[in-house]
Amino acid sequence: MSASGLGYNEQGGEAATEQGQEATPTTAPSVPAAFGLFSSDTKKNEDLKQMLESNKDSAKLDAMKRIVGMIAKGKNASELFPAVVKNVASKNIEIKKLVYVYLMRYAEEQQDLALLSISTFQRALKDPNQLIRASALRVLSSIRVPIIVPIMMLAIKEASADLSPYVRKNAAHAIQKLYSLDPEQKEMLIEVIEKLLKDKSTLVAGSVVMAFEEVCPDRIDLIHKNYRKLCNLLVDVEEWGQVVIIHMLTRYARTQFVSPWKEDGVLEEENEKDFYESDEEQKEKDQKVKKPYAMDPDHRLLIRNTKPLLQSRNAAVVMAVAQLYWHLAPKSEAGIVSKSLVRLLRSNREVQYIVLQNIATMSIQRKGMFEPYLKSFYVRSTDPTMIKTSKLEILTNLANEANISTLLREFQTYVKSQDKQFAAATIQAIGRCATNISEVTDTCLNGLVCLLSNRDEIVVAESVVVIKKLLQTQPAHHGEIIKHMAKLLDTITVPVARASILWLIGEYCERVPKIAPDVLRKMAKSFTNEDDLVKLQILNLGAKLYLTNSKQTKLLTQYILNLGKYDQSYDIRDRTRFIRQLIVPNEKSGALSKYAKKIFLAQKPAPLLESPFKDRDRFQLGTLSHTLNTKATGYLELSNWPEVAPDPSVRNVEVIELGKEWSVALGKAKKEKPTEKFYSDAEEEESASTTDTESESTSESEKEENGKEEGSSMENSESSSEELSDSESESKEGTAKKKFKTIEESDSDDPEKKTKMISKKKESSGSSGSESSSTEESSSDSESESDSESDVESRKPKNAIASKRKEMSVPERKASTKQDVSLLDLDDFNPVSTPVAVPTPAILSPSLVADLEGLSLSRSSVIDVSSPIFVPMKTHELLHRMSGKGLAAHYHFSRQPCIYGNQMVSVQVTLTNTTDQKLENIHVGERKLPAGMKMHVFNPIEFLEPEESITVSMGIDFCDSTQTASFQLCTKEDNFNVNIQPPIGELLLPVTMSEKDFKTEQGMLTGMNETSATITVAPQNSTRLVLLEKVVKAANLGVVPSGQDNIHRFAAKTVHSGSLMLVTVELKEGSTAQLIINTEKTVIGSILLRELKPVLSQG
């Protein structure tokens, strides 16, 4: 996409030229200026057509840039479609990219012309460039013609097995387009979705879940096996993918786990009944109560893995996590989302509006969540009306005895607002507070009565309506208020307010016997000029007074009934006839007239002043349906919690151990080729002895518990590795020629034999260099591994040749590892990665140099693992003493090579007994580790005396990721679930290298392997010593000597894969600095960059 980006960026100068052309008429002076503009456009497009038909690529490229620029500005470039589509087969990659950008925009509009080039698109699906393959698929899926559905289906199937995650992502996008075009393809598309759901790339995850939601949202069974993977990948997926996955997992969790909300309610009910029960009955009930509350580990995994996303910069992600916690988390844990939601109130007004609506719904049920942030909901004068009314709603929901006085003072200010709609809403809010909090009812009522003398008619009218509702709750004490309101009839003109006053006087006419008939007299005069709403209430008032005070009002009522009989509104005429028959006795009147008084003067229930958000909780928070308060098209309802949780084993994934596969393949290779040896006799004996010594040292180290013994075993392992590497280098000299010939033979062999030889090679090279199989994958690697076997098969022939060439071009980059590594260590399954940093330098024999046909080997980089410059003493809490029933555990990272394995990170765990009793049999129980992660645990501790502590060592292979290692820390009686999550800086080992080597390695890790950022460095951090100290504290990096004062270099290797991590801090003028990280592990690099930025910019 770099070319298209270039097209957008270079429009600056050309845009001005185009505008100048448009503004200058190119026709004769006699032609009006308007026609000059049109002819200019036509001429300009003709010019572009000529450039597109030119033989020069530069002219075509320039034309395509201008056309893409036109599209970006919103101009219509559809008439250029025939000229552009001719260039779809261009050999120039830059032109081809821009042509596809154009076609994606207009293929749907110009379907017939696009169909003519369909064979070109099909060929492009096999293009070596991943961007072209993806673009061709996008264009193909944009041609919405039913006749090409089979071609699209085939293309999607092929793209779903592509080596590039970017192409697979576009395949997921195409699934939705094909489904909308032809829903009959659903079953075949579900098969593709099922395959893509197994993809481990973070780039694909969001897109395939979106396709799942669109095509088959009810197929929950497809999610079972991928549930844990999606939870763990969630943090690394792009933001909009996170939103889709979170919403899908929310629906999934509501079908698979039991409700975590039963706990509070059931416990309270049980406690009320426990008074008269015996101890045995109580124990039985306790057991029954406790059973439903054991939260499923998968339920906990989802809640734990979404928590970090509350800090996302994307408001939609934060909102998605908030709704997940609201619908899935225990009520005691849901409160953590409130701070993040309040933070979103600093966003633009559209985001504020949606967030406030969701907070309003939450605050009705759980006031405590937002009470600490009450002041955040105070209204600002600059807020638009929709924001003001939403904030007012929340303030009303949060009102209680403690804060009502503050809120009423705030409301007094709001009533004076120039925004009349908001002022009216405030008066309604005061009325709600008065009904909800009995202590302030009188105060609110007096305040509303004062507002009746306000100059603003809308405020007075709204006050009347609210007072009417309040008086219904306690009318006996407020005869004076009714009299005061009766006087307002002369001045108030708002129909609703006049109708409310008349209803009040009619309802309580017995309390104001002198005023009511006079009000009726006045209303009779103005009856014909009143609004229909007021006329109905005049009729009601006349009927009530006729029944209670017929002497004074009989004639008035008959007069009003006669006026109503001939009114223009049929509602008024109907009501008049109904009332006349009911209250005026005559021969025709039925039995109902006897009960007229009971019908009209029956006691009415007081109205409930409720929040308009009361019923919105039936919709999932954060959805369009919730915002509109009506079910929108495509809304998927949340199901109710199941009474009994479905079988959790459906989410278990069988992990196939790689070691077993390799050993089987190795056995076959030995049977078929017993005479052919990959290594010399001396090497075989040596490797066997090395394996023996390694196994012995490992078994010894497992038995050790004290720190001194651990240190000595580490020294032994280091010395043995040095001896091993020396003997390896000697044996290599004699066998290099043999090995090089074997490479050529193996390349020419049939694929089956080749696979077995690779298997044998993989088994023998047991170290964790760049050649070793790794479950960790980089999101930016265009050839990331797919789960399907077909991917591996399709890669074999090309990668065998490619890796052979790479081996010949950069042999010096191979470093010797713990076991013997021959030239056969060609990575047929992965591209050759960056050099592995190991303790000993690589030594190449002269004979090998000769065999490599004079290849220059003048440089041999020396990259050694060094001791850490800084060891942080900061400890992390593993188990709190309250949660652990007296057992407290803390851990810290020692930044030393792990004695249990080269790929493991060393973790020191300190266990403390804070009880007054002895704790027995402290050990590690069940482990719940992500795929590929390994853990070496400490030996069980027989007992731990009260107030005593012990420090033990563990080794964890995090697979170069920040995924959490979950396991159980157990005592004799209890099991406690604990987690260790490594900071990114602890997944590294520092290395030493020369400045020259650093620059060379950095040159090999450019492009997609480089991430950088410009930061503002705090003044106190600009000195060399302080800067070095800050960086090595944050990450376990080694310092590389630098010949320039303003450039600081650091180097390390990842513990698991041994990939180099090169960090450069270049100080510039004006307290700014360029922070550059070069590594093939781009995910780790970007996370490290994100963590180092605040370290340098803050004091």
Side-chain angles (χ1 to χ4, degrees), residues 344-465:
L344 294 183
L345 297 181
R346 299 172 194 154
S347 307
N348 56 55
R349 58 176 60 182
E350 292 79 12
V351 172
Q352 283 186 57
Y353 178 65
I354 298 299
V355 171
L356 286 168
Q357 285 207 313
N358 287 280
I359 291 176
T361 304
M362 292 178 177
S363 59
I364 292 171
Q365 293 185 21
R366 303 180 197 171
K367 291 185 180 183
M369 280 176 64
F370 295 98
E371 278 178 3
Y373 308 101
L374 190 71
K375 289 185 179 178
S376 300
F377 304 110
Y378 284 177
V379 174
R380 296 187 179 90
S381 57
T382 54
D383 287 336
T385 304
M386 60 179 185
I387 303 293
K388 287 178 180 175
T389 49
S390 298
K391 285 185 174 179
L392 189 64
E393 181 63 37
I394 294 166
L395 289 173
T396 312
N397 291 341
L398 297 180
N400 56 32
E401 293 84 350
N403 59 29
I404 187 64
S405 57
T406 311
L407 288 180
L408 286 178
R409 280 200 301 274
E410 192 75 12
F411 289 166
Q412 282 175 358
T413 312
Y414 299 165
V415 169
K416 299 170 188 173
S417 169
Q418 295 298 315
D419 186 342
K420 301 309 171 193
Q421 185 183 345
F422 172 57
T426 304
I427 293 167
Q428 291 179 8
I430 293 171
R432 274 180 53 201
C433 290
T435 53
N436 295 339
I437 304 166
S438 56
E439 289 86 348
V440 294
T441 304
D442 292 336
T443 310
C444 292
L445 200 52
N446 292 334
L448 291 170
V449 171
C450 292
L451 289 176
L452 294 177
S453 57
N454 195 292
R455 291 179 185 177
D456 195 322
E457 197 172 304
I458 295 173
V459 171
V460 175
E462 198 64 44
S463 302
V464 167
V465 174

Side-chain angles (χ1 to χ4, degrees), residues 277 363 458 507 624 667 824 860 880 1007:
E277 290 174 357
S363 59
I458 295 173
E507 187 68 18
L624 178 63
L824 273 170
S860 179
H880 191 270

Side-chain angles (χ1 to χ4, degrees), residues 108-358:
E108 197 165 340
E109 295 176 19
Q110 305 273 353
Q111 292 177 351
D112 294 338
L113 286 170
L115 279 172
L116 296 175
S117 305
I118 202 158
S119 59
T120 311
F121 302 144
Q122 287 179 279
R123 281 198 302 275
L125 290 169
K126 294 183 170 51
D127 193 277
N129 189 312
Q130 57 172 341
L131 294 176
I132 300 298
R133 295 200 300 277
S135 299
L137 181 61
R138 289 169 72 180
V139 174
L140 200 60
S141 59
S142 299
I143 306 171
R144 305 183 62 72
V145 181
I147 197 169
I148 66 161
V149 165
I151 298 172
M152 282 174 65
M153 191 71 233
L154 193 63
I156 289 171
K157 281 186 175 179
E158 286 181 3
S160 67
D162 197 278
L163 299 182
S164 165
Y166 180 67
V167 178
R168 300 199 297 275
K169 176 189 178 75
N170 280 280
H173 291 165
I175 288 171
Q176 300 164 61
K177 293 183 180 180
L178 180 54
Y179 179 69
S180 64
L181 180 63
D182 184 8
E184 292 180 5
Q185 302 292 324
K186 184 174 180 178
E187 291 306 318
M188 295 175 74
L189 289 174
I190 289 175
E191 291 176 16
V192 181
I193 290 172
E194 186 174 8
K195 180 181 178 182
L196 286 173
L197 278 170
K198 295 174 184 174
D199 201 304
K200 293 180 181 177
S201 172
T202 53
L203 204 61
V204 182
S207 302
V208 70
V209 171
M210 188 69 227
F212 170 83
E213 290 282 80
E214 193 74 26
V215 178
C216 52
D218 53 333
R219 286 290 304 274
I220 294 291
D221 56 296
L222 299 180
I223 305 298
H224 289 323
K225 297 288 184 188
N226 303 295
Y227 171 82
R228 290 169 189 164
K229 183 195 73 179
L230 286 172
C231 288
N232 290 321
L233 286 181
L234 197 54
V235 180
D236 297 319
V237 176
E238 89 280 0
E239 293 167 341
W240 296 113
Q242 288 172 344
V243 175
V244 174
I245 293 172
I246 290 170
H247 278 282
M248 185 274 292
L249 291 178
T250 305
R251 286 194 309 105
Y252 177 85
R254 285 292 285 256
T255 63
Q256 299 300 310
F257 309 125
V258 292
S259 171
W261 303 336
K262 291 181 182 177
E263 186 170 355
D264 302 331
V266 175
L267 281 175
E268 284 171 11
E269 289 172 15
E270 297 298 338
N271 289 341
E272 285 172 10
K273 297 174 186 176
D274 285 348
F275 187 75
Y276 296 106
E277 290 174 357
S278 65
D279 291 342
E280 290 179 6
E281 288 174 337
Q282 178 63 31
K283 284 179 183 177
E284 287 175 12
K285 284 206 168 188
D286 285 346
Q287 288 172 358
K288 287 179 184 176
V289 168
K290 285 176 185 175
K291 280 181 184 176
Y293 313 135
M295 184 178 278
D296 191 296
D298 289 328
H299 190 173
R300 173 58 63 193
L301 174 72
L302 176 59
I303 292 171
R304 186 177 63 244
N305 283 16
T306 50
K307 185 177 178 181
L309 297 180
L310 286 170
Q311 298 170 19
S312 173
R313 63 183 177 181
N314 189 314
V317 176
V318 178
M319 192 64 247
V321 177
Q323 66 83 27
L324 181 138
Y325 266 77
W326 178 259
H327 292 298
L328 298 182
K331 291 181 180 178
S332 57
E333 295 178 28
I336 65 167
V337 305
S338 52
K339 189 174 183 180
S340 300
L341 288 176
V342 170
R343 173 173 63 85
L344 294 183
L345 297 181
R346 299 172 194 154
S347 307
N348 56 55
R349 58 176 60 182
E350 292 79 12
V351 172
Q352 283 186 57
Y353 178 65
I354 298 299
V355 171
L356 286 168
Q357 285 207 313
N358 287 280

